[in-house]
Amino acid sequence: MGKVLDFKKQPEFSRNYKNSIVLNGVNATQIGFNYYCGKDGFPFDKNMAFKYFSMGADLGCPEAAWIIGYLYLTGDIVEQNIKKGISILEKECRKNNMIALAYMSKYYEFGHYVKADTEKAIRYYLKIKMIGDMNI
């Protein structure tokens, strides 16, 4: 289910939410976005953004997981670690995370962060199409 946030212990939420919310992967990720963009009453704070993106990923949100991988690739918020970023995105690809698949297919096609590998890029593009066709 998630964990309940206690606003007395985490006052950053008191101006945005009435009582308490159950923190799940999706709303932890949204809170991360709010910090990352400094919107909806949240201060711009990349460290808090990373904290909540990490919580979202730990709570099973696929969007948060690819964001963490991307942040490691780019070195935004955290120290750049291409190996770790690729590892996270590859793991998400095995879980059929469409966004991770889209990024990795482009990376392999054009050789960004990884050695160009047309066959791998095509496999990822085909997997995206297959998953997309299943959702129609």
Side-chain angles (χ1 to χ4, degrees):
M1 177 171 168
K3 69 180 190 176
V4 177
L5 292 177
D6 179 349
F7 296 118
K8 292 176 185 139
K9 294 180 182 171
Q10 293 181 297
E12 68 264 23
F13 297 108
S14 62
R15 55 185 183 274
N16 299 340
Y17 300 100
K18 294 286 183 204
N19 297 313
S20 64
I21 60 170
V22 175
L23 187 65
N24 62 34
V26 173
N27 56 29
T29 304
Q30 183 59 53
I31 291 166
F33 275 121
N34 289 347
Y35 276 117
Y36 192 81
C37 299
K39 67 176 201 167
D40 293 338
F42 286 77
F44 174 74
D45 186 330
K46 286 188 173 186
N47 291 323
M48 289 297 286
F50 189 78
K51 173 184 173 182
Y52 282 95
F53 289 147
S54 296
M55 273 190 222
D58 290 345
L59 291 167
C61 179
E63 186 174 40
W66 78 258
I67 290 168
I68 295 294
Y70 183 79
L71 292 173
Y72 276 110
L73 281 179
T74 61
D76 189 12
I77 301 178
V78 294
E79 185 175 336
Q80 186 177 35
N81 185 331
I82 293 171
K83 186 175 180 179
K84 187 171 187 171
I86 292 296
S87 175
I88 292 168
L89 290 174
E90 290 280 9
K91 181 179 175 184
E92 287 304 304
C93 287
R94 290 189 295 275
K95 296 177 182 178
N96 295 332
N97 182 319
M98 292 286 281
I99 298 172
L101 285 162
Y103 273 96
M104 290 307 298
S105 60
K106 290 288 186 191
Y107 294 157
Y108 279 112
E109 180 180 4
F110 296 106
H112 297 302
Y113 302 112
V114 295
K115 183 179 178 191
D117 185 333
T118 304
E119 288 181 25
K120 207 170 217 181
I122 290 170
R123 279 199 309 268
Y124 281 134
Y125 283 126
L126 290 173
K127 195 170 186 178
I128 291 167
K129 177 162 180 14
M130 180 191 72
I131 294 166
D133 287 349
M134 291 183 334
N135 291 328
I136 294 177

